Each structure stands twice: as C-alpha cells, then as structure tokens.
Amino acid sequence: MGNLFRRATVWGIAASDIFVYVGGSFTNAGGVTVNKIACWNGRQWFPLGSGVEGNVLALAVRDRELYVAGVFESVGGRPSAHFGIWHEPLALWIAPVADDRVVISWSSAS
C-alpha cells in the first residue's frame, strides 16, 4: 500500500463487489482523514462514518455488510464490545450488544 497509510499498520483487508475495505491503526488513507478504517471505490478513499475508536484487527464482508473486529469500545460513536457492522446500503454503523464475546459463523451456498 506504499505511503497510503503513513506511520500506521494495516491489519485487515476485505472486498465487496464494489469496495475494498482496509482496517488498522491509521488516521489517514491517501490524504483523506479516517478513523482506523477506510473504503476504496477504485478511484478514491472514503471514511466509514466516524470510524472506530481503537484498532481494527479483522474484516469480513457478507451480503453488503462489513464485519469489523478489533480492540475498540465504539463504532460510529456507538458503544461496542470489540465488534461492529458497517451496513453498506444505508452507510451506517450497527453496534450489536455483546458480552465481550461475539461468534459469527456462515457458510457459502452454492
């Protein structure tokens, strides 16, 4: 990723059919101010709302939702126990209520 994420670490990358998402410990993506998570549309970087208060360690995409896990206490300004969901169609954060442990499991249907 070259100098796109200066003085920072990228720990997670995931892609939908439209976007590439990158998460880590950065506050700048290609000159755009972000908060630990960013979105690439093929031409430019965008923040995901107000981002994540802490570090993003893992990303996964399913059905136009981005699942975000890491060492953080809030996503999009909402309290969260180290997990959040970016709902792509509505461009908003969902912060599930959890007891510090979230297990996600899905399988691919043919």
Side-chain angles (χ1 to χ4, degrees):
M1 301 250 164
N3 288 328
L4 290 175
F5 304 98
R6 289 182 211 140
R7 287 181 247 136
T9 302
V10 171
W11 283 301
I13 299 174
S16 70
D17 56 343
I18 302 170
F19 302 112
V20 175
Y21 299 99
V22 180
S25 64
F26 53 88
T27 57
N28 185 295
V32 175
T33 300
V34 298
N35 196 12
K36 311 305 188 328
I37 192 160
C39 175
W40 175 254
N41 70 357
R43 290 192 281 168
Q44 59 187 349
W45 290 100
F46 293 94
L48 297 183
S50 60
V52 175
E53 293 300 324
N55 292 324
V56 173
L57 301 179
L59 302 173
V61 174
R62 180 171 168 93
D63 296 333
R64 303 202 56 202
E65 289 184 329
L66 174 68
Y67 296 83
V68 180
V71 182
F72 52 83
E73 300 293 323
S74 71
V75 293
R78 296 184 170 134
S80 174
H82 314 290
F83 178 77
I85 301 168
W86 175 255
H87 186 69
E88 186 180 294
L90 297 177
L92 61 81
W93 282 102
I94 300 167
V97 176
D99 62 354
D100 288 334
R101 190 175 87 152
V102 176
V103 177
I104 297 176
S105 176
W106 65 69
S107 62
S108 299
S110 299

